[in-house]
Amino acid sequence: MSNLIKVIITVTCAAALSACELLHIPGPQTPVNDAPVEDANATYLCKTADTLEKFNDYCQLDRWSEFLLNVDGISWVERREIIKTLSEAPADRLQKVLLSQAEDTPYANRLRAQNWIRALKPVMDEQMQKVITVMVEQPSQQLLELESAITILSRVNTRQEKTISELQETLEARREELETQRDQVEQLLQIEANMSDEKRGN
């Protein structure tokens, strides 16, 4: 199970427990007034009819965790095909974002999901914006930065290995040159010694 799923499930449970506590706290009855009352269900992410129409079931945080649990363990290849079938409607785009959060999602596709999030935020209510930022966008951005750093480091190491290999080849070639030159000098010295011996013999 991915870290994102664990985080969403944990927050969903915590929010549900908090809502139950709010509903069962005893106290004196207060007169009813016309002031707006906050929904006790803290997992409800849509505060306007327009947002509710755009996101439907995904106004409930537990729908996010349910969706992630259903796709957990599905390979990226399969998830990619599901993404292709989804439209650009807000609820579908949100699903595409969630489908792009597993650890095996390629860098480019995770980056594309970040762009989808930025496009979705303006049509989300504040609570949903906070949820997608904290639970999806920020962790995904950290993974992107980590992958980018690893890629850069890998390239640096590759260049260093190539440089070391080239230096080793240069040193080996130079060693062979020196060996050849030494053989040539020894041959010349041997010729001169033989010539000196011949002169003395005469």
Side-chain angles (χ1 to χ4, degrees), residues 65-84:
S65 57
E66 179 187 352
F67 181 85
L68 287 168
L69 285 170
N70 287 337
V71 300
D72 186 42
I74 297 178
S75 70
W76 164 246
V77 173
E78 294 175 275
R79 298 199 314 278
R80 182 181 60 194
E81 294 305 311
I82 297 173
I83 289 173
K84 290 179 181 178

Side-chain angles (χ1 to χ4, degrees), residues 15-158:
L17 288 173
S18 298
C20 291
E21 291 175 359
L22 287 172
L23 291 172
H24 291 90
I25 293 176
Q29 293 187 356
T30 56
V32 177
N33 56 47
D34 295 330
V37 179
E38 287 291 332
D39 189 347
N41 185 359
T43 66
Y44 200 71
L45 306 178
C46 299
K47 300 299 180 184
T48 65
D50 182 56
T51 311
L52 176 60
E53 182 180 353
K54 285 183 172 70
F55 291 98
N56 300 310
D57 292 345
Y58 290 91
C59 288
Q60 296 284 350
L61 184 56
D62 56 3
R63 180 69 184 96
W64 296 36
S65 57
E66 179 187 352
F67 181 85
L68 287 168
L69 285 170
N70 287 337
V71 300
D72 186 42
I74 297 178
S75 70
W76 164 246
V77 173
E78 294 175 275
R79 298 199 314 278
R80 182 181 60 194
E81 294 305 311
I82 297 173
I83 289 173
K84 290 179 181 178
T85 67
L86 296 170
S87 71
E88 294 302 310
D92 278 8
R93 186 172 283 187
L94 176 57
Q95 291 177 61
K96 292 196 285 189
V97 168
L98 297 177
L99 284 164
S100 303
Q101 299 309 308
E103 294 176 359
D104 63 340
T105 304
Y107 181 94
N109 299 93
R110 186 181 297 279
L111 184 61
R112 181 181 60 177
Q114 294 293 84
N115 293 329
W116 285 333
I117 292 173
R118 284 189 282 272
L120 279 169
K121 279 185 174 182
V123 299
M124 290 178 165
D125 288 335
E126 183 180 1
Q127 186 69 11
M128 186 180 283
Q129 288 181 11
K130 289 180 180 178
V131 168
I132 201 168
T133 297
V134 174
M135 295 185 177
V136 182
E137 185 178 27
Q138 291 178 352
S140 189
Q141 185 61 35
Q142 290 173 358
L143 279 176
L144 286 169
E145 291 171 359
L146 178 60
E147 288 183 37
S148 180
I150 291 173
T151 300
I152 293 172
L153 182 60
S154 176
R155 288 176 181 171
V156 169
N157 288 339
T158 300

